[in-house]
Amino acid sequence: MMKKKWLNYLPTIFIICIIVSLMMYSSSSTSENLNFTQFEKKAEKVEFKDSSITIESTIIQVEGTYKTNDKVTAFKAIIPNTDKNIEWLEETLSKDGGQITVTNPDANKVWVSMLAQMIPFLIIAVVFYLMMAKMGGGSNAKAFEFAKSRARMENDVKVRFKDVAGCEEEKEEVKEIIDYLKTPKRFTDMGAHIPKGVLMVGPPGTGKTLLAKAVAGEANVPFFSISGSDFVEMFVGTGASRVRDMFKNAQKNAPCIVFIDEIDAVGRQRGAGMGGGNDEREQTLNQLLVEMDGMTDNTGIVVIAATNRPDVLDPALLRSGRFDRQITVNLPDVKGRKEILGVHARNKKLASDVNLENLAKRTPGFSGADLANVLNEGAILAVRNRKNFITMNDLDEAIDRVMMGPAKKSKKYTEKDKMLVSYHEAGHAVIGLKLPDADAVQKVTIIPRGEAGGYNLMMPREERMFPTKKAFLAQITGLLGGRVAEEIIFGQDAVSAGASNDIEKLTKIAKNMVRVYGMSTLGPIQYADPQGNVFLGRDYTQGGNYSAGVAEEIDKEVRNIVDSCKKQCRQILEDNRELLDLIAKSLYEYETLTSEEILNLMNYGTIENPNVQKVEEVIVEPEQELPPIPAGVDQKDLDDAMNELTKKKDA
């Protein structure tokens, strides 16, 4: 590394040498050059100081200084080499007490000749070296670094627990690790051993990496981070060598945290899959197993790994003594989403109409990364519209963008297609309004987004931890609302392909009800296919665990569920045909309806609530003390006059 840094300064050093040489040359050329005639004339008028004489075969080189009018000037002169001139020079240069130095002319010629011979070879060597370095000739030096660990170390992690929201239980699980890294003696005195490894499992974007960094930040210890894919290379033994080097560096900086992201890339089950596994990856995994709990004692090193595929990990990696704890980081609930929005809204300029609690209720199923993206998209939209604050409309549009993509307002429907999409989305909305267990309608639009011609934003009325059979059936019925509405209005032969995504979702739900959850007449038996893929580390010899007869029964049960939901959906839409037409026509006209507007259409038949009237602002003047009644004026006459004046004013 030091050699590389020195080479980077080589062009600068070369340029500096050239500049210094030019300066020396320019400074040396400031002396006065005299021929023999000029030197003779000068010798009569000036006073010579110290001089040097170089006697060559035909000429005499004279260098020195002379003084005229208190001014000293350097000079050079060339004089023919004769005995007479040598005597004259000695007499002239020493007449005023000047010192004369005689130099050997051959002394400089030796060095000059040597440099003249060496410079071409030096130039060729430098050019050759630079060419080889450009062509990769220095790659042999990198061979010794190829087996080094790619883990990046952070000594001062700024992330703290206050920056991680929506996972309070997960924080509690890792607090012991922080205490151990700060004061390990408390645990050793009690005979306790801190977990050597913590495996964080959860969907993408739930904050597994952020939580691991917060542990290092709270404990104020070095944080080594590496991805599972950084271990394995095409060269045999590289991965195992990098694992050894990583733990060696961690041992030097103990206590510390080693974070391995996407550990399933290197920790998949050994000896499974097509071809019996991967030898290089398995060697890397074996070395990782040894380092975590083998012949070496890595005191003070806590390994934290993250994955969203724990089903493919090798059992030896998950056993106690290696990954002692498995922490599941789930998607946040409504309370967690509000806290996450509060964390990401710290540096955002929010308008007064923004309510983070309402925003959290409108984003079920969103991960922490999705919520951060919603606020960021809202900020971008506010800047694009040249606003000073992020409004609720910006965040509403941001939610739509994150879920479905940007609106394609330039895409124009034909009148027939626009009416078909309107009835399709109105069918979903009517089911959401009239079916008690269906999701609540939040927003309906026929503006295309992504691959969808329109969409319904429907949210659960309440977040359930365990969905029921009734809720699944209501969800299937809601997904059928668009297709059934098309059949009722336009006929069986005029249905469109716009319900393909709805059909895909409801089919998956119906199959899971029968094969996974046991919600059919086949009973509480699981008929699901083996979870996993042979190319992801699973055994390819496993097949379906039911017969062909059972498969036929499963298909019948799935069909019965969908048919019964479709029948119920048709009944609801036919009973509420007027509401279906009203919502469809309003969508055709306004293109987007909010939940309040849809409720107004259902209750009052109009977009706006007719019972809500604008109340004029009444300005009440503060009471003032009235002047006293003049003498001789009757109070009754005064009251009658005031009442009469009030009547005229009201009229």
Side-chain angles (χ1 to χ4, degrees), residues 59-70:
I59 61 173
I60 303 172
Q61 294 186 14
V62 182
E63 295 183 14
T65 57
Y66 63 85
K67 183 178 180 181
T68 55
N69 300 327
D70 297 332

Side-chain angles (χ1 to χ4, degrees), residues 138-171:
S139 60
N140 290 332
K142 297 181 181 179
F144 297 99
E145 300 179 5
F146 190 76
K148 298 293 183 181
S149 171
R150 301 290 179 89
R152 295 168 295 276
M153 185 181 73
E154 296 182 47
N155 282 320
D156 187 15
V157 180
K158 302 295 184 182
V159 182
R160 297 292 185 270
F161 274 169
K162 65 180 181 181
D163 302 315
V164 185
C167 51
E168 298 303 320
E169 292 79 6
E170 291 79 359
K171 291 180 185 178

Side-chain angles (χ1 to χ4, degrees), residues 93-321:
L93 295 176
S94 60
K95 65 180 179 179
D96 298 317
Q99 298 293 326
I100 301 175
T101 304
V102 180
T103 60
N104 184 5
D106 296 330
N108 293 331
K109 290 183 178 180
V110 175
W111 291 105
V112 171
S113 61
M114 289 179 62
L115 288 174
Q117 294 176 5
M118 291 175 62
I119 286 175
F121 292 102
L122 290 174
I123 294 174
I124 293 173
V126 170
V127 172
F128 181 76
Y129 176 80
L130 294 176
M131 289 177 60
M132 291 298 295
K134 288 288 185 181
M135 295 173 60
S139 60
N140 290 332
K142 297 181 181 179
F144 297 99
E145 300 179 5
F146 190 76
K148 298 293 183 181
S149 171
R150 301 290 179 89
R152 295 168 295 276
M153 185 181 73
E154 296 182 47
N155 282 320
D156 187 15
V157 180
K158 302 295 184 182
V159 182
R160 297 292 185 270
F161 274 169
K162 65 180 181 181
D163 302 315
V164 185
C167 51
E168 298 303 320
E169 292 79 6
E170 291 79 359
K171 291 180 185 178
E172 292 294 329
E173 288 294 318
V174 297
K175 279 186 177 178
E176 291 91 349
I177 298 175
I178 299 173
D179 295 337
Y180 170 76
L181 293 173
K182 286 184 174 180
T183 56
K185 192 174 185 301
R186 291 176 51 197
F187 292 84
T188 55
D189 291 345
M190 191 62 66
H193 296 281
I194 201 66
K196 290 188 176 181
V198 176
L199 181 64
M200 294 186 179
V201 179
T206 51
K208 299 183 291 294
T209 303
L210 191 65
L211 183 59
K213 294 191 73 173
V215 173
E218 291 287 344
N220 194 21
V221 295
F223 182 75
F224 289 85
S225 61
I226 191 172
S227 173
S229 60
D230 288 335
F231 289 111
V232 181
E233 294 281 357
M234 63 179 293
F235 300 103
V236 177
T238 303
S241 177
R242 289 179 178 177
V243 171
R244 288 191 295 269
D245 186 66
M246 180 182 69
F247 278 91
K248 181 180 178 181
N249 294 335
Q251 188 68 39
K252 295 177 181 178
N253 294 274
C256 65
I257 289 177
V258 175
F259 177 70
I260 306 175
D261 197 10
E262 305 297 342
I263 194 173
D264 52 278
V266 71
R268 290 176 184 165
Q269 185 175 355
R270 293 169 291 181
M274 302 295 287
N278 182 289
D279 288 340
E280 171 60 16
R281 177 176 54 80
E282 290 182 4
Q283 286 184 21
T284 306
L285 175 58
N286 292 338
Q287 186 63 43
L288 182 61
L289 297 176
V290 171
E291 292 290 344
M292 289 190 67
D293 184 21
M295 294 177 290
T296 57
D297 185 17
N298 296 314
T299 306
I301 300 176
V302 177
V303 180
I304 301 178
T307 181
N308 49 26
R309 290 298 311 274
D311 55 309
V312 301
L313 294 180
D314 193 89
L317 193 63
L318 300 177
R319 76 161 175 83
S320 299

Side-chain angles (χ1 to χ4, degrees), residues 310-615:
D311 55 309
V312 301
L313 294 180
D314 193 89
L317 193 63
L318 300 177
R319 76 161 175 83
S320 299
R322 291 194 175 108
F323 284 109
D324 301 282
R325 287 188 183 178
Q326 183 169 320
I327 300 176
T328 301
V329 186
N330 284 320
L331 294 171
D333 57 6
V334 62
K335 180 183 177 183
R337 292 196 296 273
K338 180 183 176 182
E339 294 174 355
I340 293 172
L341 288 170
V343 170
H344 293 292
R346 290 173 182 170
N347 62 339
K348 303 290 191 303
K349 295 182 179 179
L350 301 180
S352 58
D353 65 335
V354 175
N355 189 322
L356 296 182
E357 185 174 358
N358 293 338
L359 194 63
K361 292 179 180 178
R362 297 180 58 183
T363 52
F366 277 46
S367 65
D370 294 331
L371 296 172
N373 195 20
V374 166
L375 289 176
N376 186 60
E377 287 288 346
I380 293 174
L381 289 171
V383 173
R384 182 183 300 175
N385 297 326
R386 299 185 182 280
K387 298 179 181 178
N388 295 326
F389 298 95
I390 305 171
T391 63
M392 200 65 185
N393 291 332
D394 297 326
L395 296 176
D396 181 66
E397 175 66 18
I399 292 174
D400 295 340
R401 282 172 170 265
V402 173
M403 294 179 62
M404 305 292 295
K408 299 181 180 179
K409 296 182 179 179
S410 61
K411 184 178 180 180
K412 299 298 181 182
Y413 286 118
T414 62
E415 296 299 318
K416 184 177 180 180
D417 288 343
K418 188 174 181 180
M419 182 60 70
L420 185 143
V421 175
S422 299
Y423 269 100
H424 181 101
E425 301 302 335
H428 290 301
V430 171
I431 298 299
L433 291 170
K434 295 299 181 179
L435 190 61
D437 293 303
D439 294 340
V441 180
Q442 296 291 333
K443 181 180 179 182
V444 184
T445 180
I446 60 172
I447 298 175
R449 285 182 182 272
E451 297 181 359
Y455 81 99
N456 263 270
L457 182 60
M458 303 180 72
M459 301 300 177
R461 300 179 191 274
E462 58 181 8
E463 294 190 26
R464 301 185 181 95
M465 183 173 292
F466 303 108
T468 62
K469 179 179 180 180
K470 197 174 183 180
F472 282 131
L473 294 174
Q475 193 173 358
I476 294 174
T477 306
L479 290 169
L480 286 167
R483 167 56 65 88
V484 175
E486 292 181 19
E487 293 179 0
I488 294 174
I489 304 300
F490 302 101
Q492 184 71 35
D493 297 333
V495 295
S496 69
S500 60
N501 185 252
D502 298 332
I503 295 173
E504 179 184 353
K505 291 179 180 178
L506 68 89
T507 303
K508 183 178 180 180
I509 295 172
K511 285 185 176 181
N512 285 336
M513 289 177 64
V514 176
R515 301 192 307 167
V516 180
Y517 307 126
M519 296 178 179
S520 69
T521 58
L522 294 179
I525 302 175
Q526 191 175 73
Y527 297 103
D529 292 333
Q531 298 296 317
N533 190 305
V534 296
F535 296 104
L536 294 178
R538 285 306 184 198
D539 196 348
Y540 64 91
T541 59
Q542 295 183 6
N545 54 357
Y546 49 82
S547 64
V550 174
E552 185 177 355
E553 292 294 326
I554 291 173
D555 292 339
K556 289 181 180 179
E557 287 295 324
V558 171
R559 184 178 296 277
N560 290 336
I561 291 174
V562 176
D563 288 344
S564 64
C565 291
K566 185 177 180 182
K567 183 179 179 180
Q568 184 186 18
C569 179
R570 178 178 288 274
Q571 186 66 41
I572 294 173
L573 293 180
E574 289 177 348
D575 293 343
N576 297 275
R577 176 64 185 271
E578 294 182 1
L579 180 60
L580 177 66
D581 294 335
L582 183 61
I583 294 177
K585 291 177 181 178
S586 300
L587 274 174
Y588 184 87
E589 180 179 357
Y590 298 104
E591 294 187 342
T592 300
L593 298 176
T594 63
S595 59
E596 293 80 6
E597 292 170 342
I598 294 172
L599 290 175
N600 290 338
L601 288 173
M602 182 178 68
N603 296 326
Y604 311 108
T606 59
I607 292 291
E608 296 181 354
N609 188 349
N611 297 326
V612 178
Q613 298 180 354
K614 294 183 179 180
V615 180

